[in-house]
Amino acid sequence: MSGPSTGKRAIDATVVDVQTVRVSPTVKPELVVAGARGVHDRSDFLLVRVVTSAGVTGIGEVSATLTWSGEDGATGEYLIRTVLAGAVIGQPIAPVADLERRMDRALAGSPFTKAGLSTALWDAYARTLDVPLAVALGGPLHTEIPVKCSLSGDGDRLRATHRAAVAAGFAAFKVKIGLDPVADAQRVALARQLCGPDAFIGLDANGGYRRDAARRAVELIRPSGPAFLEQPVEPGDLAGMRQLRDLGLPVVADESVFGTDDLVSVLRAEAADVVSLYIGKSGGPGRLVSMARLADAFGLTVVIGSNGELGVGAAAQLQAGAAAAGLSTHIPSDIIGAHYYQEDVLAEPLTADGRAARLPDGPGLAVTLREDIEARFVSVTDDRGHDTPNP
């Protein structure tokens, strides 16, 4: 990564190139997550690099899966090459929000793809100013963020996942439910037995229940002492979310909230106590921070959610989370990039011990890619493309 620029160059720098490389890392077998939306054992992601006229570079990550938004590394690469790069190349690096609006005018939807490019732009901007991204975003309000690990599967599978999570240092967990209330209750009871009576355990249904099944599940699971109920019903059933708040557990809106319009709908419906914000769902780190401010202003607590980010995406989660108003200190966030994959793309992992992720020193995202990954970036002006994605 190049060093910072200063003074006039910080104001005048423009985006001169956008580069991409596809990566497809596999999840550690013992930490594979299975829930109501399927199994996540591999991530077909895209890394993005921008270059400014001041010689500063920034990196980002398209942490997209087809089951979430219809995006992945292949679609992200195509959209950045054919549409989004043209919207930002030749434009001033600041304000980044103007570049995000240009992307919105050029392409409908595709928030995770836009988030990857947005993160690279924010990283370059913060590096230009020689400040951490959390500072460029208006923080930091926190220097460390408590984290948790997802547990899924039954019987020996759940036991193996729990062993691996504990070995990685995790002490807080959420259990994937949303399939069958009886089987889900048995899974959570086993998790409680494994984790101990005082461990933090939440529930994540990924929108898998209907309202009546969600109520039954909570009553069956209640003896296990769950701490929260995440996305119990389908994303659009805000009335159902509102009704389920009377069960006495904090209701977390996840799949119900992508952009600001969704957040406003949840606020108006009084459908949640907590909102799970993603870099990808929000469309970038700046928009996540803006959404956190809005949620906090209306009394909602914020947690940082995950789509299985690699190290670059996890660094963006950490920097944006550090600048996010209303971030929960009771419900840990899902910043898992330092632990989740068999091989990461960073030269040095994030500082995270399973209990908390800690804000690193340095400008921008304050992370560096492996040299072999750096060497594989291809400019959007190069017709070679990327035929062989690897970790």
Side-chain angles (χ1 to χ4, degrees), residues 20 23 43-48 60-65 71-77 80 110-117 119 307 309-310 312-313:
T20 60
V23 293
S43 294
D44 294 315
F45 288 174
L46 183 76
L47 300 179
V48 185
E61 177 181 309
V62 179
S63 317
T65 55
E71 304 165 79
D72 65 2
T75 66
E77 180 185 50
I80 288 173
S110 303
F112 283 83
T113 299
K114 291 174 182 174
L117 181 51
T119 298
N307 201 35
E309 289 79 4
L310 282 160
V312 174

Side-chain angles (χ1 to χ4, degrees), residues 54-110:
V56 178
T57 60
I59 54 174
E61 177 181 309
V62 179
S63 317
T65 55
L66 294 174
T67 55
W68 265 84
S69 65
E71 304 165 79
D72 65 2
T75 66
E77 180 185 50
Y78 172 78
L79 292 173
I80 288 173
R81 282 176 162 266
T82 59
V83 182
L84 295 179
V88 301
I89 289 176
Q91 301 300 316
I93 190 65
V96 177
D98 281 358
L99 297 173
E100 292 171 330
R101 284 188 284 270
R102 289 182 64 85
M103 288 193 280
D104 286 341
R105 289 195 293 270
L107 177 67
S110 303

Side-chain angles (χ1 to χ4, degrees), residues 29-302:
E30 63 272 20
L31 292 180
V32 168
V33 175
R37 284 182 171 265
V39 176
H40 190 160
D41 58 0
R42 170 188 167 118
S43 294
D44 294 315
F45 288 174
L46 183 76
L47 300 179
V48 185
R49 183 164 65 189
V50 300
V51 183
T52 76
S53 58
V56 178
T57 60
I59 54 174
E61 177 181 309
V62 179
S63 317
T65 55
L66 294 174
T67 55
W68 265 84
S69 65
E71 304 165 79
D72 65 2
T75 66
E77 180 185 50
Y78 172 78
L79 292 173
I80 288 173
R81 282 176 162 266
T82 59
V83 182
L84 295 179
V88 301
I89 289 176
Q91 301 300 316
I93 190 65
V96 177
D98 281 358
L99 297 173
E100 292 171 330
R101 284 188 284 270
R102 289 182 64 85
M103 288 193 280
D104 286 341
R105 289 195 293 270
L107 177 67
S110 303
F112 283 83
T113 299
K114 291 174 182 174
L117 181 51
S118 170
T119 298
L121 293 165
W122 274 105
D123 185 35
Y125 172 63
R127 289 177 186 273
T128 298
L129 298 180
D130 198 24
V131 298
L133 178 54
V135 173
L137 292 170
L141 305 177
H142 327 272
T143 57
E144 67 175 39
I145 298 175
V147 297
K148 63 184 181 297
C149 184
S150 293
L151 301 178
S152 61
D154 298 303
D156 289 343
R157 171 65 191 163
L158 181 61
R159 292 184 182 93
T161 302
H162 174 260
R163 281 196 301 272
V166 170
F170 286 98
F173 309 92
K174 70 177 180 183
V175 181
K176 291 292 186 177
I177 59 171
L179 302 171
D180 173 77
V182 174
D184 290 343
Q186 293 170 346
R187 182 180 311 109
V188 179
L190 175 56
R192 174 56 71 193
Q193 177 186 339
L194 294 170
C195 297
D198 299 323
F200 181 96
I201 297 179
L203 310 174
D204 185 4
N206 290 118
Y209 291 134
R210 295 177 65 85
R211 297 181 199 181
D212 56 348
R215 286 188 175 277
R216 184 174 181 225
V218 170
E219 293 308 319
L220 291 171
I221 294 171
R222 197 181 296 278
S224 296
F228 65 84
L229 177 62
E230 184 171 331
Q231 200 61 50
V233 292
E234 292 182 356
D237 188 8
L238 299 185
M241 297 268 284
R242 174 65 184 88
Q243 291 176 14
L244 292 169
R245 291 179 65 196
D246 66 17
L247 292 173
L249 287 177
V251 170
V252 181
D254 185 344
E255 285 90 340
S256 290
V257 178
F258 273 61
T260 302
D261 289 348
D262 293 336
L263 175 57
V264 170
S265 295
V266 166
L267 291 169
R268 285 175 171 165
E270 298 181 340
D273 305 283
V274 183
V275 60
S276 179
L277 300 180
Y278 294 35
I279 298 290
K281 288 193 304 176
S282 302
R287 289 181 171 179
L288 184 153
V289 171
S290 295
M291 289 174 65
R293 292 190 187 113
L294 177 61
D296 180 58
F298 282 85
L300 262 66
T301 302
V302 170

